[in-house]
Amino acid sequence: MLDTPEAVVEALRENHERPHGLPRTVIAEELVEAAETFEQPDVLVTALLELMTAYEFTGEQRKSPVAFARILKLWDTAPDSFSPYEAHQVFWRFKWVTTSLLQVPDIPLTAIGGWIDQMRARYEAAGHGVQPVAAMRYHLAHHTGTGVADAYDLWATRPRTDLSDCEACETRHLAWHRVAEGDDAAALDAWRPVLTGEQGCSEEPQMSQARALLPLLRTGRTDEARSHHLTGYRKVRGNTGMQDEVGLHLEFCALSRNEGRGLEILAENRSLFGATGAPLDRLGFLTGVEVLLARLAGTGHEDTAVAGPPGRSWTAAELLAHVRAEAGPLAAAFDARNGTSAVGDRRRARLARRPLLDEPLPLGLRTAAAVARPATPAPASAAPATARTEVPDDFTALVREARRMGRDGHPGDSRLWDRIGERLAETTAPDFEAYADELGPEELLRAELAEHRAQELWLDDRHKASAAELAAAVEGYERLRMPWHALSARARALAWTTRPGARDGEDEESGGAGSGTGGLDRAEVRAALDAVMGETEKLLAEVPFDGAPLGDAEAVFGADLRTERTLAYLSVRYADTFAAYQELVEAAESDADADPDADADAGLDLAGRFEERAGTLLTEAERLGFPHQSANARQFRADVMGRGGDLTGAERELRAALQDLETAGRPWRRPRPRALLAQVLLARDEPQEAVDLLHGAIADAVAHDDASFALAPTYLLLGQASAHLGDFSGAVRHLSEAAARFDQAGDPGEATQARLRLADVLSRSGQPADAVAVLESVLADDATAGVDERMLAQARLTFARGLRDLEEHLPAAREFLALADTVAGWPQEDRAVLTLVASEAATALATADHWEAADTAYERAVAAHAEAPNPPMIALMMREFARLTMRARGAEGTDAALAHLDRADAVLAALPAGEDGFAVWYERGEIHYRRARVLAEADRYEEALPQAEAAVAAHEEGGPQGELARAEAVRVAALIEGNGLDRTNEAIARLTTAAARCRKAELPEAAQVLDALRQELLSR
């Protein structure tokens, strides 16, 4: 019942604790109606101020001036009804009304100008400085685009007053002015105190973070842009009072080429389409939506499903038309009111912007709403991300270049062979009679294409299909009397089936090509390879490398025939070595007892076989003058050595391999040995050279169009190496890139692993809000398939703690509780984790003032501790409950708080003798410390002082590790003694001794705190 002033005041207090939103606003309106019935207007004053606050922070500024007009009337007729705070708010909220009037195009400029004049008159009459008035005149000038420079000077040069906007908000306006002038660097310099957290308020830094996104991109500060998007968006998501800022985040996504992320944001903010109470902010939101949708439509995604106003389904094209139909006339209405084109010009400028980056900015987030990359070239002014191989239009030149690059082992040949295949499949396919003299018979080209397709299938982990293509190539080469090429393809077909590919089953399920080796087991493959090697030795005598062509197909290679045959021979050697390497690695990884072929392999020296094959490949490559193949042999050796723990040997072989490639003049072959060497160096704790090698590997792969090189795991490794070096910004950048590339490759498990590492780096580098944003995307319901349960549990624990550190206590509690349910089913030896999680859940719930649920979680933690003890966590929970109980109930909660501390004492008392693993002295000292605080807050100082002294004594047992906690206990003892018991001299003496002890222990900050309290007591 709201029939008494006291009841309405209590209801106002409860409503004030609610989050801003429609429910809070509706209740505020009801409470104003209830307050109108009382004779004294003081409750009505409070209710109207609360209603105005609700309007201001939920995007209902259209209604705010009406509420303030009633407040102002009460101020003129019953000023005694206003408390000092409320009196201050009368003048403060003049500013709110001015900005609210600017929001509504129906309000004439003359009315707004007259309002500012009244504001000035009232400020001067009350003796207030007029800098806030100048600020309002500047906002009007900025909005209309007239007299901006003069208005800015009048505002920015005046001294601040106690009615000026807070420093953080004023910094935002100063920086935004610089952005409007086109000086992004100066704007970001002005913004620094807000963006670094030195200044802040209820609206900052999130408003500035949204506005700084594009200036950061334009100035190349992409790492900061990523961070401010991650942390800033979470604070404005779904907030009707921040719809303009949501629009800026949508625009950022479009211009950083993260359209998929933009679609997710659109879906999360669908309710904002119904927020009409702040038309100017609504225009900002709609314009951000339009930028995103226009980007989608412009890249061929008009039919993409998007989230629009509730009640129907939308495509990008449909929603774009809908938004334009509202936003265009709304901007025109402002311009008509203002008599200028400023609002429309700003909107048109935003719509004219194009992406600021050539490639998507990796955000580190999992994005479910993927948008395919448009196949458009990078702007001419920017270097492309990859040096794409030039594809000749002339068919003869195309084939010749593909063959030349193939002989050189250049990865760019892949693009050429793909184009050759396309040309042959086209209806206008070349007539081979016209090309036969220069390119050879069509069957030769078909065999070469089969080899290329085999390579692609192998890289796609479809080894059986790859072998089938090679079998087709063998048949073609044999018909063409090209025995060296046929042997090479046969050897690779055998080697590539020594271990099944991860996607081989897809070919079987879809009825695709089967194995080109007839389903041989490992022993049969080994025997078949031995037979191939026998044929190779025989062929060396019959068809030497420099012998005459055996037919028209070989003749087409002309002077390159010797190289073709030699490379085919070395390819056979390579395949034989590769098969031995694969078999050795598999044997090392598997359990011989579980291996069905263990008996067949028992007498075989796999290591000896591998060493013999690798040694032969190396010596033959060196003899024949093809050091890139000797580099391959060294890489196999290095990998085997590394797996066996011989890091020195692995490093030696890889450095020799890189030298071989230098000698061969084949820089495009360096990425893999560089990446392998980096792994070895990381294992040897040499991260700096590892980072350099990984950068070099990526640069080589990009420069030489090597699409087969695995960039995602390389970026992952680079991120880990950078973190090891302490380069956290680099680590974040590389891990974000790794996650994005794993997403593109359709590998969600690896992408999740990369994001978990990214979140860990962000947490360790002091960016908990960024880590929370990343973990939030990782822990989505459909993002965790295939990820280790314990790894996910650790991620959820980190997420919950991050939310707690951001003071989002109720969401943190929900995460802790969900995790508690998960770990409750773990084996007995892991049950202590349940004690930890339940304890943290209970504390988070109590901090959020959800006491009934907190008490339930508390008892669950106690029960878990009885089954699986975790003394430090359970004692910490009990101490925190004592503190939070006093915070919530004051002196009335003293007995309950002391009861929690008694239970903590019992936890320590129950410890077995000689318990180790944690500092018992610390726990005991902290219990005494908290008991002293509880008793002091209840004005029971005589009881509190002995507890503080007991805390000092307990922490002294910890030696150097206990000094800091001891100093804090001394400080509390001195406060109790000096303030509570009026024993000032004793307190001063205690502080003097303790400060000197801190200086001796090299704790200068603690000494300063004690000295400051000592000086305060001395001044009395």
Side-chain angles (χ1 to χ4, degrees), residues 17 803-810 812-813 816 839-851 853-855 877 880-881 883-885 887-888:
E17 298 299 320
L803 290 170
R804 179 195 62 198
D805 294 343
L806 295 176
E807 298 185 359
E808 299 180 32
H809 297 292
L810 194 54
F816 281 127
S839 298
E840 299 214 41
T843 303
L845 287 164
T847 306
D849 286 327
H850 283 245
W851 282 96
D855 289 340
M877 178 193 72
E880 280 295 284
F881 262 68
R883 179 182 67 83
L884 293 168
T885 298
R887 187 193 71 176

Side-chain angles (χ1 to χ4, degrees), residues 35 38-48 74 77-78 80-82:
F38 305 129
E39 183 177 347
Q40 296 297 322
D42 52 345
V43 177
L44 179 59
V45 167
T46 305
L48 285 168
L74 289 169
T77 58
D80 292 342
S81 299
F82 290 73

Side-chain angles (χ1 to χ4, degrees), residues 22-102:
L22 183 60
R24 176 171 171 172
T25 302
V26 170
I27 293 172
E29 291 173 335
E30 294 172 351
L31 292 175
V32 167
E33 293 179 6
E36 288 172 335
T37 63
F38 305 129
E39 183 177 347
Q40 296 297 322
D42 52 345
V43 177
L44 179 59
V45 167
T46 305
L48 285 168
L49 287 169
E50 172 61 27
L51 177 60
M52 194 176 177
T53 300
Y55 287 151
E56 180 72 16
F57 291 99
T58 53
E60 292 286 349
Q61 283 92 334
R62 186 189 292 270
K63 300 178 180 179
S64 190
V66 176
F68 190 70
R70 296 183 65 185
I71 293 170
L72 206 56
K73 183 176 180 180
L74 289 169
W75 174 254
D76 290 335
T77 58
D80 292 342
S81 299
F82 290 73
S83 69
Y85 167 78
E86 291 168 338
H88 183 270
Q89 286 297 302
V90 171
F91 292 96
W92 183 270
R93 297 192 185 195
F94 267 99
K95 299 180 296 181
W96 288 13
V97 174
T98 302
T99 54
S100 294
L101 294 173
L102 284 175

